[in-house]
């Protein structure tokens, strides 16, 4: 039988995970009725929290660190907002830091977890090698979100990027596109998975990709324009372009329209993320919606269990559902 979790206690007691955490930590900010429900559920499930989670709050910092390469993505912002709200619900403070892809800086921040300055770590797109992520996760409380490395011990929360890219590419094909191009970013793990989904959809439709162009460094609006310029130099233009993010798609649309082409009549364009740029773009972008805020909340719930429950925990990853959002940029 699987070991009961904090979530199981909350579900049995009919309260939030945050309420369970506050009871375990001896917080006075819990009603007597809620406390009795939680304690009854703990007894019923034979739930075994760590001693520190029961009465030794002074031995814990009640802080978690959310770490990313940069904070300029709206997806990252929403993920970390979810982490912060879920942490606050459980009496924790979330600290947010960016590494700018600097491995030494990342190691310094991870050392905050090693030396007890924080109780747990949520990491988005680590710079360190996969094996190092796995080693840290085997020893300490670590959860990955969105950009998931191949580290068995480091549980991850994300969407299925490969399937999501497959879905949007299939939509382009079903809309009549025969020659498709992709503006991709191999520097990101999610970018490589999206490229795989794009290729899979074309293979199943017995189509060959027209071009896959790769952006380097900051994969943003100007990258979209630069890569679209390269597409325009081709003898035969594609019918549709799938872009790895909405921001890149917006840059692509701008370059195509400046060249006198109509979107989607001449070339359809689709993005990814359903960020604000998707609706600000003219025409509005067909895209994939990520439940970024919910991913942040789920990531913290997984982290909370690792910080408060003894023994082994779930490994691998969990996928939250994505949604294909069809707008005016595709036929």
């Amino acid at each position: 039988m699987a070991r009961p979790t904090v979530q199981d206690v909350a579900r049995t007691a009919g309260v939030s995970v945050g309420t369970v955490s506050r009871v375990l930590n001896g917080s006075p900010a819990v009603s007597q009725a809620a406390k009795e429900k939680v304690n009854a559920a703990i007894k019923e499930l034979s739930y075994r929290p760590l001693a520190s989670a029961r009465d030794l709050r002074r031995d814990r910092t009640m802080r978690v660190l959310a770490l990313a390469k940069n904070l300029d993505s709206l997806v990252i912002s929403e993920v970390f907002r979810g982490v912060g709200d879920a942490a606050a619900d459980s009496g924790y403070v979330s600290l947010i830091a960016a590494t700018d892809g600097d491995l030494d800086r990342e190691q310094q921040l991870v050392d905050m977890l090693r030396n007890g300055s924080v109780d747990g770590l949520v990491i988005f797109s680590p710079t360190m090698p996969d094996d190092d992520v796995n080693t840290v996760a085997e020893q300490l409380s670590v959860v990955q979100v969105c950009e998931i490395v191949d580290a068995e011990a480091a549980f991850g929360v994300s969407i299925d990027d490969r399937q999501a890219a497959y879905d949007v590419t299939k939509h382009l094909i079903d809309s009549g596109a025969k020659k498709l191009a992709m503006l991709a970013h191999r520097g990101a793990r999610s970018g490589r998975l999206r490229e795989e989904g794009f290729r899979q959809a074309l293979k199943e439709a017995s189509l060959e990709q027209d071009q896959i162009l790769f952006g380097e460094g900051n994969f943003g609006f100007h990258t979209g324009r630069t890569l679209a310029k390269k597409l325009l130099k081709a003898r035969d233009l594609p019918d549709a372009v799938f872009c790895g993010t909405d921001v890149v798609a917006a840059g692509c649309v701008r370059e195509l329209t400046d060249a006198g082409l109509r979107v989607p009549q001449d070339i359809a364009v689709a993005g990814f993320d359903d960020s604000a740029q998707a609706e600000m773009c003219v025409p509005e972008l067909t895209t994939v919606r990520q439940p970024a805020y919910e991913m942040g909340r789920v990531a913290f719930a997984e982290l909370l269990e690792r910080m408060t429950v003894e023994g082994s925990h779930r490994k691998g990853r969990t996928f939250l559902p994505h949604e294909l959002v069809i707008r005016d940029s595709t036929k």
Side-chain angles (χ1 to χ4, degrees):
M1 181 181 295
R3 180 190 295 272
T5 67
V6 172
Q7 288 77 14
D8 293 330
V9 174
R11 189 162 41 249
T12 301
V15 300
S16 69
V17 171
T19 297
V20 175
S21 177
R22 285 189 283 274
V23 171
L24 293 173
N25 288 312
S27 170
V30 184
S31 69
Q32 185 61 34
K35 188 180 299 183
E36 290 174 358
K37 289 180 181 178
V38 170
N39 287 330
I42 289 173
K43 183 176 180 180
E44 177 185 340
L45 297 172
S46 298
Y47 173 74
R48 292 183 297 156
L50 291 171
S52 60
R54 288 196 298 269
D55 300 309
L56 301 180
R57 179 169 177 162
R58 65 183 179 275
D59 292 337
R60 303 170 66 200
T61 69
M62 302 305 292
R63 294 192 296 264
V64 296
L65 176 63
L67 187 62
K69 286 183 180 177
N70 59 68
L71 304 176
D72 57 7
S73 162
L74 292 176
V75 172
I76 296 176
S77 297
E78 278 298 286
V79 167
F80 284 175
R81 187 169 70 87
V83 171
D85 286 353
D89 289 345
S90 296
Y92 283 78
V93 172
S94 61
L95 309 176
I96 298 174
T99 67
D100 293 322
D102 185 323
L103 181 57
D104 290 339
R105 171 65 174 157
E106 183 175 86
Q107 292 291 357
Q108 289 176 347
L109 290 164
V110 172
D111 282 345
M112 293 178 64
L113 183 59
R114 291 192 177 98
N115 65 28
S117 297
V118 295
D119 299 325
L121 173 66
V122 176
I123 190 165
F124 187 118
S125 189
T127 301
M128 71 182 87
D130 294 3
D131 288 345
D132 289 357
V133 175
N134 197 62
T135 299
V136 173
E138 285 176 340
Q139 301 168 350
L140 304 162
S141 299
V142 179
V143 170
Q144 302 182 82
V145 63
C146 288
E147 297 285 347
I148 311 300
V149 305
D150 294 325
E152 182 182 358
F155 188 81
V157 180
S158 70
I159 64 167
D160 187 338
D161 284 284
R162 184 186 292 106
Q163 182 63 48
Y166 172 90
D167 291 346
V168 71
T169 305
K170 189 173 186 305
H171 162 69
L172 293 171
I173 294 170
D174 291 344
S175 299
K178 301 297 183 184
K179 291 174 61 65
L180 289 87
M182 180 179 181
L183 307 187
H185 187 29
R186 280 185 175 166
R189 292 171 176 85
S190 61
R192 295 193 291 273
L193 292 171
R194 293 169 195 177
E195 180 189 341
E196 291 175 9
F198 174 75
R199 292 181 184 275
Q200 180 185 351
L202 294 180
K203 181 178 180 180
E204 290 183 6
S206 300
L207 298 174
E208 294 183 4
Q209 75 266 7
D210 183 53
Q211 291 188 72
I212 298 182
L213 302 180
F214 300 102
E216 302 293 338
N218 182 19
F219 195 57
F221 180 83
H222 293 293
T223 300
R225 296 202 67 167
T226 299
L227 296 180
K229 285 180 181 178
K230 293 182 179 180
L231 283 179
L232 291 171
K233 293 178 181 178
R235 179 175 301 177
D236 296 318
L237 294 177
D239 303 319
V241 182
F242 168 44
C243 302
T245 70
D246 290 336
V247 181
V248 169
C252 177
V253 169
R254 175 65 179 274
E255 194 62 36
L256 295 178
T257 55
D258 282 359
L261 295 170
R262 299 169 301 163
V263 176
Q265 292 88 343
D266 298 320
I267 301 179
V269 177
F272 202 104
D273 290 336
D274 196 28
S275 62
Q277 285 89 345
E279 292 187 271
M280 293 167 62
C281 187
V282 180
E284 293 185 4
L285 292 172
T286 289
T287 186
V288 171
R289 178 176 295 150
Q290 298 198 64
Y293 178 79
E294 185 61 25
M295 283 193 285
R297 294 195 68 96
V298 171
F300 179 79
E302 291 288 344
L303 184 65
L304 181 63
E305 181 175 330
R306 282 157 175 74
M307 294 187 297
T308 59
V309 180
E310 293 177 329
S312 61
H313 301 99
R314 284 204 296 167
K315 296 182 179 181
R317 66 183 64 184
T318 188
F319 291 133
L320 271 60
H322 62 271
E323 179 185 355
L324 177 62
V325 181
I326 300 174
R327 297 195 179 99
D328 295 339
S329 68
T330 59
K331 300 174 184 177

